[in-house]
């Protein structure tokens, strides 16, 4: 990990891939990841961990399947939301967005259980940021 | 914790106190906190945890006492940095800044060891955000 500050805009400009997070920092055994997103991710669930979203740019929607039913939360630029562990969710961003994620190192992008994985979704635990 | 997204600008507008973090979200046993800062914090060290900083607005400096000597990192708006556990550090922001922190729930603002605490520094593990 870098021992210098990282500008998120520069980190985001260093790659083009969608739904393919880059690890910008580590905090104990957690990753701070950034991703460019556009279109739909997939329904998935992390059984053992919450997942934090911060929208750096654009607007992100997260569909949630909760005990009371399905709902969608909308995160404009500069807003945050944590999806609780065990909650099926599907992020999507019709107009595109840049997001920051906190989650335990090793957490896969598609969770522990998920729908069929579409070609545009990268199955990863996060890529290194190119220097 | 809220089960709706939180706009960081709105959270920051809900209080005036400096160096007095508000908890905007929880991720497992970690807090996401926001703080308004201006002037100097104090030299302190977290023995057992890293501490993540993201600058939402303004510019933050963090003085670091590392084995090789003292240095300062500068974080403009939109940049991130993690202070490693065990590293004495002193954040400061002559012109003021708004920051987001990610650290284990219960982490005190002044660390485990610290200089004499000035009156303007709030000793806290983070306050609740007013609804």
């Amino acid at each position: 990990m870098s021992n210098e500050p990282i500008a998120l805009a520069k980190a985001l400009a260093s790659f083009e891939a969608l739904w393919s997070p880059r690890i910008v920092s580590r905090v104990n055994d957690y990753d701070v990841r950034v991703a460019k997103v556009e279109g739909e991710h997939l329904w998935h669930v992390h059984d053992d961990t919450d997942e934090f979203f911060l929208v750096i740019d654009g607007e992100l929607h997260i569909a949630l399947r909760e005990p009371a039913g399905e709902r969608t939360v909308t995160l404009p630029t500069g807003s945050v939301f944590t999806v609780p562990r065990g909650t099926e969710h599907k992020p999507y961003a019709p107009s595109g967005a840049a997001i920051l994620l906190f989650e335990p190192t090793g957490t896969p992008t598609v969770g522990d259980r998920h729908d069929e994985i579409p070609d545009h979704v990268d199955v990863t635990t996060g890529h290194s940021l190119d220097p």
Side-chain angles (χ1 to χ4, degrees), chain A:
Chain A
M1 285 292 108
S2 173
N3 65 354
E4 295 293 337
I6 289 179
L8 296 179
K10 191 174 168 191
L12 286 161
S14 74
F15 64 97
E16 291 300 325
L18 298 174
W19 303 109
S20 182
R22 262 61 181 171
I23 299 166
V24 293
S25 195
R26 289 216 163 92
V27 188
N28 302 324
D29 50 354
Y30 279 67
D31 288 347
V32 181
R33 304 178 186 171
V34 294
K36 290 176 168 172
V37 302
E38 191 173 336
E40 296 208 346
H41 201 238
L42 77 174
W43 282 105
H44 68 284
V45 60
H46 303 282
D47 287 324
D48 301 317
T49 182
D50 302 339
E51 187 173 31
F52 172 85
F53 295 82
L54 183 160
V55 176
I56 300 167
D57 191 37
E59 186 173 75
L60 180 73
H61 306 274
I62 308 175
L64 301 163
R65 287 180 179 149
E66 297 177 328
E70 198 168 308
R71 69 173 174 130
T72 295
V73 291
T74 297
L75 285 74
T77 301
S79 58
V80 303
F81 185 76
T82 299
V83 175
R85 66 184 70 188
T87 298
E88 274 191 281
H89 59 285
K90 182 176 72 172
Y92 61 99
S95 304
I99 63 178
L100 178 144
L101 305 156
F102 289 135
E103 51 200 329
T105 299
T107 301
T109 45
V110 298
D112 301 303
R113 291 176 286 123
H114 52 77
D115 278 358
E116 194 176 342
I117 297 170
D119 286 342
H120 70 274
V121 167
D122 184 18
V123 179
T124 176
T125 54
H127 299 279
S128 296
L129 198 62
D130 289 329

